[in-house]
Amino acid sequence: MIEDDAELAEILSEYLHKYGIEVENYEDPFIALSAIRINKYDALILDLTLPGMDGLEILKKIREFSDLPIIISSARSDLSDKVLGLELGADDYLPKPYDPKELEARLKAITRRRAKKEENEREFIIYKNRREISYKGEILHLTPAEFEVLAYLIEHPNQPIDREELLYACENLSENASEKTIDVIISRIRQKLKEDPKNPKHIVSVRGIGYKFVP
């Protein structure tokens, strides 16, 4: 949060803490910008009337390097401020005064949307508890061994993994399994990903070693 009203910042921080939302507040916008560049935050509550730099200018600067979800929290009632804030990339605008419960609801809504967007943008998602992997939003129908091989490769992107290492990583292979078994499993995974075996996109052969996963 970037809010120079220390009392309001404390009230909001204490309220949101009750609902599992931890808040770091910065009264100085320049320090806040540095913190946003360094740290990973789920969302930003941004006041507009701040010392040293207007909130709309802060918003513009943040959008030069980050798509962090931003809720403007401002006592400025000018419609042009609201319109410009949204045009500059704010996700929501909450005029002061407001009930902290509304802020909580809006924060949870934009963070849910952000999480869903990030999930949709990832081609591969591993659901370890269910031992499933989705590809482009569709659950792949994998055997236990196929799941283990593909999950291991995904978790080590762009790293050549030899066949022996994949064998040790799989608990669902028999004691008689060999490096050739890995080749068979890779072939089946490629078929399920509908990859061209001569020019695979994600599961790439590494000559003399084994395979690597290319995101």
Side-chain angles (χ1 to χ4, degrees):
M1 177 162 54
I2 308 178
E3 172 62 68
D4 67 330
D5 184 333
E7 184 179 354
L8 175 61
E10 184 177 357
I11 290 170
L12 293 176
S13 298
E14 289 180 356
Y15 179 86
L16 293 171
H17 175 74
K18 295 177 183 177
Y19 295 91
I21 301 172
E22 300 302 324
V23 179
E24 285 184 14
N25 183 57
Y26 296 91
E27 297 181 22
D28 185 315
F30 297 97
I31 295 175
L33 281 171
S34 297
I36 292 168
R37 287 182 180 276
I38 296 169
N39 302 312
K40 179 175 174 56
Y41 296 105
D42 295 316
L44 171 65
I45 304 164
L46 174 64
D47 187 20
L48 292 186
T49 307
L50 295 162
M53 189 186 305
D54 186 78
L56 293 174
E57 183 64 25
I58 295 170
L59 173 58
K60 189 186 300 184
K61 288 183 179 296
I62 291 172
R63 283 294 175 255
E64 291 174 358
F65 66 88
S66 174
D67 62 351
L68 175 70
I70 297 174
I71 296 178
I72 291 176
S73 162
S74 177
R76 282 160 41 177
S77 58
D78 191 334
L79 179 60
S80 62
D81 281 333
K82 180 176 182 178
V83 171
L84 183 56
L86 294 172
E87 287 179 346
L88 289 173
D91 297 87
D92 205 344
Y93 193 106
L94 195 54
K96 296 175 181 175
Y98 51 79
D99 189 321
K101 189 166 185 62
E102 183 176 3
L103 176 61
E104 175 215 346
R106 295 194 185 203
L107 273 172
K108 288 183 175 177
I110 66 169
T111 52
R112 278 197 304 269
R113 288 198 299 270
R114 171 64 174 269
K116 186 66 176 176
K117 179 175 179 288
E118 289 180 347
E119 182 175 305
N120 290 338
E121 287 175 349
R122 286 184 291 163
E123 283 194 310
F124 290 87
I125 303 173
I126 302 173
Y127 302 96
K128 287 193 173 181
N129 291 341
R130 294 163 16 203
R131 296 184 67 78
E132 292 180 337
I133 298 174
S134 69
Y135 175 54
K136 294 182 177 179
E138 298 286 334
I139 296 295
L140 296 169
H141 298 290
L142 303 170
T143 65
E146 290 168 0
F147 168 83
E148 289 174 342
V149 168
L150 182 54
Y152 193 85
L153 288 169
I154 291 171
E155 290 173 344
H156 298 80
N158 298 310
Q159 297 180 35
I161 307 294
D162 63 43
R163 293 172 178 82
E164 185 177 2
E165 184 175 345
L166 288 170
L167 277 172
Y168 282 116
C170 294
E171 298 177 355
N172 284 281
L173 290 176
S174 69
E175 294 181 358
N176 298 323
S178 65
E179 293 185 0
K180 183 65 178 176
T181 306
I182 295 296
D183 293 334
V184 173
I185 291 173
I186 291 291
S187 177
R188 294 203 306 254
I189 291 172
R190 283 173 171 166
Q191 289 177 9
K192 292 177 181 182
L193 296 178
K194 299 179 181 178
E195 294 204 323
D196 179 355
K198 295 182 180 178
N199 187 30
K201 178 182 177 182
H202 295 294
I203 312 297
V204 178
S205 299
V206 181
R207 185 184 295 274
I209 300 177
Y211 301 94
K212 71 176 179 179
F213 173 77
V214 180

mmCIF file of all heavy atoms in Angstrom, residues 75-102:
data_model
loop_
_atom_site.group_PDB
_atom_site.id
_atom_site.type_symbol
_atom_site.label_atom_id
_atom_site.label_comp_id
_atom_site.label_asym_id
_atom_site.label_seq_id
_atom_site.Cartn_x
_atom_site.Cartn_y
_atom_site.Cartn_z
ATOM 1 N N ALA A 75 -9.483 10.095 -2.052
ATOM 2 C CA ALA A 75 -10.552 11.021 -1.667
ATOM 3 C C ALA A 75 -10.868 11.990 -2.798
ATOM 4 O O ALA A 75 -11.826 12.763 -2.710
ATOM 5 C CB ALA A 75 -10.147 11.794 -0.419
ATOM 6 N N ARG A 76 -10.064 11.954 -3.864
ATOM 7 C CA ARG A 76 -10.310 12.847 -4.989
ATOM 8 C C ARG A 76 -11.530 12.363 -5.754
ATOM 9 O O ARG A 76 -11.580 11.240 -6.224
ATOM 10 C CB ARG A 76 -9.077 12.907 -5.889
ATOM 11 C CG ARG A 76 -8.029 13.814 -5.280
ATOM 12 C CD ARG A 76 -6.622 13.656 -5.742
ATOM 13 N NE ARG A 76 -6.338 13.439 -7.130
ATOM 14 C CZ ARG A 76 -5.084 13.356 -7.606
ATOM 15 N NH1 ARG A 76 -4.045 13.501 -6.774
ATOM 16 N NH2 ARG A 76 -4.852 13.137 -8.872
ATOM 17 N N SER A 77 -12.516 13.247 -5.850
ATOM 18 C CA SER A 77 -13.806 12.845 -6.427
ATOM 19 C C SER A 77 -13.965 13.255 -7.892
ATOM 20 O O SER A 77 -15.008 13.009 -8.498
ATOM 21 C CB SER A 77 -14.952 13.450 -5.602
ATOM 22 O OG SER A 77 -14.842 14.861 -5.562
ATOM 23 N N ASP A 78 -12.956 13.871 -8.454
ATOM 24 C CA ASP A 78 -13.032 14.313 -9.844
ATOM 25 C C ASP A 78 -13.125 13.100 -10.766
ATOM 26 O O ASP A 78 -12.275 12.204 -10.727
ATOM 27 C CB ASP A 78 -11.783 15.138 -10.181
ATOM 28 C CG ASP A 78 -11.918 15.864 -11.512
ATOM 29 O OD1 ASP A 78 -12.684 15.392 -12.376
ATOM 30 O OD2 ASP A 78 -11.260 16.898 -11.688
ATOM 31 N N LEU A 79 -14.153 13.079 -11.593
ATOM 32 C CA LEU A 79 -14.352 11.951 -12.500
ATOM 33 C C LEU A 79 -13.159 11.764 -13.428
ATOM 34 O O LEU A 79 -12.804 10.632 -13.778
ATOM 35 C CB LEU A 79 -15.626 12.163 -13.320
ATOM 36 C CG LEU A 79 -15.968 11.071 -14.343
ATOM 37 C CD1 LEU A 79 -16.169 9.727 -13.663
ATOM 38 C CD2 LEU A 79 -17.210 11.453 -15.145
ATOM 39 N N SER A 80 -12.502 12.856 -13.795
ATOM 40 C CA SER A 80 -11.374 12.752 -14.716
ATOM 41 C C SER A 80 -10.223 11.964 -14.091
ATOM 42 O O SER A 80 -9.491 11.248 -14.787
ATOM 43 C CB SER A 80 -10.885 14.142 -15.135
ATOM 44 O OG SER A 80 -10.415 14.865 -14.016
ATOM 45 N N ASP A 81 -10.044 12.078 -12.755
ATOM 46 C CA ASP A 81 -9.016 11.294 -12.077
ATOM 47 C C ASP A 81 -9.325 9.804 -12.170
ATOM 48 O O ASP A 81 -8.435 8.984 -12.411
ATOM 49 C CB ASP A 81 -8.913 11.703 -10.603
ATOM 50 C CG ASP A 81 -8.125 12.982 -10.398
ATOM 51 O OD1 ASP A 81 -7.256 13.270 -11.234
ATOM 52 O OD2 ASP A 81 -8.394 13.691 -9.420
ATOM 53 N N LYS A 82 -10.589 9.467 -11.965
ATOM 54 C CA LYS A 82 -10.991 8.054 -12.036
ATOM 55 C C LYS A 82 -10.794 7.512 -13.443
ATOM 56 O O LYS A 82 -10.217 6.432 -13.629
ATOM 57 C CB LYS A 82 -12.452 7.910 -11.615
ATOM 58 C CG LYS A 82 -12.952 6.467 -11.653
ATOM 59 C CD LYS A 82 -14.377 6.361 -11.138
ATOM 60 C CE LYS A 82 -14.847 4.904 -11.138
ATOM 61 N NZ LYS A 82 -16.212 4.755 -10.608
ATOM 62 N N VAL A 83 -11.241 8.267 -14.437
ATOM 63 C CA VAL A 83 -11.117 7.819 -15.826
ATOM 64 C C VAL A 83 -9.648 7.681 -16.215
ATOM 65 O O VAL A 83 -9.236 6.667 -16.792
ATOM 66 C CB VAL A 83 -11.836 8.801 -16.779
ATOM 67 C CG1 VAL A 83 -11.523 8.450 -18.238
ATOM 68 C CG2 VAL A 83 -13.339 8.764 -16.536
ATOM 69 N N LEU A 84 -8.824 8.686 -15.862
ATOM 70 C CA LEU A 84 -7.413 8.638 -16.216
ATOM 71 C C LEU A 84 -6.710 7.490 -15.496
ATOM 72 O O LEU A 84 -5.872 6.795 -16.085
ATOM 73 C CB LEU A 84 -6.741 9.971 -15.869
ATOM 74 C CG LEU A 84 -5.262 10.104 -16.251
ATOM 75 C CD1 LEU A 84 -5.067 9.833 -17.736
ATOM 76 C CD2 LEU A 84 -4.740 11.487 -15.883
ATOM 77 N N GLY A 85 -7.067 7.284 -14.222
ATOM 78 C CA GLY A 85 -6.460 6.185 -13.477
ATOM 79 C C GLY A 85 -6.723 4.842 -14.139
ATOM 80 O O GLY A 85 -5.812 4.016 -14.285
ATOM 81 N N LEU A 86 -7.958 4.630 -14.568
ATOM 82 C CA LEU A 86 -8.300 3.366 -15.230
ATOM 83 C C LEU A 86 -7.631 3.272 -16.600
ATOM 84 O O LEU A 86 -7.186 2.197 -17.016
ATOM 85 C CB LEU A 86 -9.823 3.241 -15.356
ATOM 86 C CG LEU A 86 -10.569 3.123 -14.018
ATOM 87 C CD1 LEU A 86 -12.079 3.204 -14.235
ATOM 88 C CD2 LEU A 86 -10.209 1.823 -13.302
ATOM 89 N N GLU A 87 -7.534 4.397 -17.304
ATOM 90 C CA GLU A 87 -6.875 4.395 -18.610
ATOM 91 C C GLU A 87 -5.378 4.108 -18.480
ATOM 92 O O GLU A 87 -4.778 3.506 -19.373
ATOM 93 C CB GLU A 87 -7.086 5.741 -19.316
ATOM 94 C CG GLU A 87 -8.504 5.941 -19.837
ATOM 95 C CD GLU A 87 -8.689 7.292 -20.504
ATOM 96 O OE1 GLU A 87 -7.809 8.168 -20.333
ATOM 97 O OE2 GLU A 87 -9.713 7.477 -21.193
ATOM 98 N N LEU A 88 -4.777 4.550 -17.361
ATOM 99 C CA LEU A 88 -3.347 4.319 -17.152
ATOM 100 C C LEU A 88 -3.038 2.904 -16.677
ATOM 101 O O LEU A 88 -1.874 2.525 -16.564
ATOM 102 C CB LEU A 88 -2.803 5.325 -16.133
ATOM 103 C CG LEU A 88 -2.689 6.776 -16.618
ATOM 104 C CD1 LEU A 88 -2.291 7.690 -15.470
ATOM 105 C CD2 LEU A 88 -1.675 6.891 -17.752
ATOM 106 N N GLY A 89 -4.089 2.129 -16.378
ATOM 107 C CA GLY A 89 -3.865 0.725 -16.047
ATOM 108 C C GLY A 89 -4.280 0.280 -14.666
ATOM 109 O O GLY A 89 -3.986 -0.843 -14.263
ATOM 110 N N ALA A 90 -4.976 1.158 -13.902
ATOM 111 C CA ALA A 90 -5.499 0.709 -12.612
ATOM 112 C C ALA A 90 -6.579 -0.343 -12.845
ATOM 113 O O ALA A 90 -7.304 -0.294 -13.840
ATOM 114 C CB ALA A 90 -6.069 1.881 -11.822
ATOM 115 N N ASP A 91 -6.690 -1.296 -11.934
ATOM 116 C CA ASP A 91 -7.696 -2.356 -12.068
ATOM 117 C C ASP A 91 -9.018 -1.979 -11.412
ATOM 118 O O ASP A 91 -10.056 -2.525 -11.769
ATOM 119 C CB ASP A 91 -7.165 -3.645 -11.431
ATOM 120 C CG ASP A 91 -5.927 -4.161 -12.145
ATOM 121 O OD1 ASP A 91 -4.811 -3.727 -11.796
ATOM 122 O OD2 ASP A 91 -6.075 -4.977 -13.059
ATOM 123 N N ASP A 92 -8.976 -1.053 -10.467
ATOM 124 C CA ASP A 92 -10.194 -0.673 -9.742
ATOM 125 C C ASP A 92 -9.979 0.700 -9.123
ATOM 126 O O ASP A 92 -8.839 1.164 -8.966
ATOM 127 C CB ASP A 92 -10.501 -1.713 -8.656
ATOM 128 C CG ASP A 92 -11.988 -1.763 -8.294
ATOM 129 O OD1 ASP A 92 -12.718 -0.817 -8.653
ATOM 130 O OD2 ASP A 92 -12.396 -2.735 -7.642
ATOM 131 N N TYR A 93 -11.080 1.368 -8.769
ATOM 132 C CA TYR A 93 -11.020 2.711 -8.165
ATOM 133 C C TYR A 93 -12.019 2.745 -7.031
ATOM 134 O O TYR A 93 -13.214 2.509 -7.234
ATOM 135 C CB TYR A 93 -11.367 3.764 -9.219
ATOM 136 C CG TYR A 93 -11.041 5.187 -8.816
ATOM 137 C CD1 TYR A 93 -9.948 5.852 -9.365
ATOM 138 C CD2 TYR A 93 -11.824 5.890 -7.899
ATOM 139 C CE1 TYR A 93 -9.634 7.162 -9.019
ATOM 140 C CE2 TYR A 93 -11.514 7.195 -7.534
ATOM 141 C CZ TYR A 93 -10.423 7.828 -8.106
ATOM 142 O OH TYR A 93 -10.121 9.121 -7.761
ATOM 143 N N LEU A 94 -11.533 3.014 -5.829
ATOM 144 C CA LEU A 94 -12.378 2.999 -4.639
ATOM 145 C C LEU A 94 -12.333 4.384 -3.993
ATOM 146 O O LEU A 94 -11.318 4.774 -3.418
ATOM 147 C CB LEU A 94 -11.876 1.931 -3.670
ATOM 148 C CG LEU A 94 -12.779 1.493 -2.522
ATOM 149 C CD1 LEU A 94 -14.144 1.051 -3.029
ATOM 150 C CD2 LEU A 94 -12.115 0.360 -1.750
ATOM 151 N N PRO A 95 -13.408 5.177 -4.097
ATOM 152 C CA PRO A 95 -13.395 6.528 -3.523
ATOM 153 C C PRO A 95 -13.512 6.497 -1.998
ATOM 154 O O PRO A 95 -14.306 5.750 -1.435
ATOM 155 C CB PRO A 95 -14.613 7.195 -4.163
ATOM 156 C CG PRO A 95 -15.532 6.069 -4.507
ATOM 157 C CD PRO A 95 -14.661 4.892 -4.827
ATOM 158 N N LYS A 96 -12.694 7.313 -1.335
ATOM 159 C CA LYS A 96 -12.778 7.457 0.114
ATOM 160 C C LYS A 96 -13.925 8.404 0.465
ATOM 161 O O LYS A 96 -14.206 9.343 -0.286
ATOM 162 C CB LYS A 96 -11.473 8.036 0.660
ATOM 163 C CG LYS A 96 -10.251 7.165 0.467
ATOM 164 C CD LYS A 96 -9.006 7.938 0.954
ATOM 165 C CE LYS A 96 -7.739 7.150 0.768
ATOM 166 N NZ LYS A 96 -6.535 7.939 1.119
ATOM 167 N N PRO A 97 -14.579 8.204 1.624
ATOM 168 C CA PRO A 97 -14.369 7.099 2.577
ATOM 169 C C PRO A 97 -15.100 5.845 2.115
ATOM 170 O O PRO A 97 -16.079 5.913 1.374
ATOM 171 C CB PRO A 97 -14.985 7.658 3.857
ATOM 172 C CG PRO A 97 -16.080 8.559 3.380
ATOM 173 C CD PRO A 97 -15.584 9.174 2.106
ATOM 174 N N TYR A 98 -14.631 4.697 2.573
ATOM 175 C CA TYR A 98 -15.274 3.438 2.223
ATOM 176 C C TYR A 98 -15.133 2.477 3.399
ATOM 177 O O TYR A 98 -14.304 2.666 4.293
ATOM 178 C CB TYR A 98 -14.657 2.819 0.966
ATOM 179 C CG TYR A 98 -13.154 2.700 1.010
ATOM 180 C CD1 TYR A 98 -12.533 1.663 1.711
ATOM 181 C CD2 TYR A 98 -12.351 3.618 0.349
ATOM 182 C CE1 TYR A 98 -11.154 1.551 1.751
ATOM 183 C CE2 TYR A 98 -10.966 3.520 0.386
ATOM 184 C CZ TYR A 98 -10.368 2.485 1.089
ATOM 185 O OH TYR A 98 -9.008 2.386 1.131
ATOM 186 N N ASP A 99 -15.948 1.444 3.365
ATOM 187 C CA ASP A 99 -15.895 0.411 4.397
ATOM 188 C C ASP A 99 -14.717 -0.516 4.077
ATOM 189 O O ASP A 99 -14.603 -1.000 2.938
ATOM 190 C CB ASP A 99 -17.214 -0.386 4.385
ATOM 191 C CG ASP A 99 -17.332 -1.338 5.564
ATOM 192 O OD1 ASP A 99 -16.315 -1.955 5.932
ATOM 193 O OD2 ASP A 99 -18.444 -1.471 6.106
ATOM 194 N N PRO A 100 -13.830 -0.787 5.022
ATOM 195 C CA PRO A 100 -12.702 -1.679 4.766
ATOM 196 C C PRO A 100 -13.126 -3.038 4.214
ATOM 197 O O PRO A 100 -12.363 -3.680 3.499
ATOM 198 C CB PRO A 100 -12.037 -1.824 6.139
ATOM 199 C CG PRO A 100 -12.384 -0.573 6.859
ATOM 200 C CD PRO A 100 -13.769 -0.227 6.395
ATOM 201 N N LYS A 101 -14.346 -3.456 4.550
ATOM 202 C CA LYS A 101 -14.835 -4.746 4.041
ATOM 203 C C LYS A 101 -14.939 -4.726 2.520
ATOM 204 O O LYS A 101 -14.702 -5.729 1.856
ATOM 205 C CB LYS A 101 -16.183 -5.092 4.668
ATOM 206 C CG LYS A 101 -16.643 -6.518 4.354
ATOM 207 C CD LYS A 101 -17.770 -6.924 5.255
ATOM 208 C CE LYS A 101 -18.149 -8.376 5.025
ATOM 209 N NZ LYS A 101 -17.038 -9.299 5.320
ATOM 210 N N GLU A 102 -15.297 -3.562 1.970
ATOM 211 C CA GLU A 102 -15.377 -3.452 0.511
ATOM 212 C C GLU A 102 -13.982 -3.553 -0.102
ATOM 213 O O GLU A 102 -13.791 -4.194 -1.144
ATOM 214 C CB GLU A 102 -16.031 -2.142 0.098
ATOM 215 C CG GLU A 102 -16.201 -2.025 -1.413
ATOM 216 C CD GLU A 102 -16.943 -0.767 -1.850
ATOM 217 O OE1 GLU A 102 -17.291 0.059 -0.982
ATOM 218 O OE2 GLU A 102 -17.189 -0.627 -3.064
#
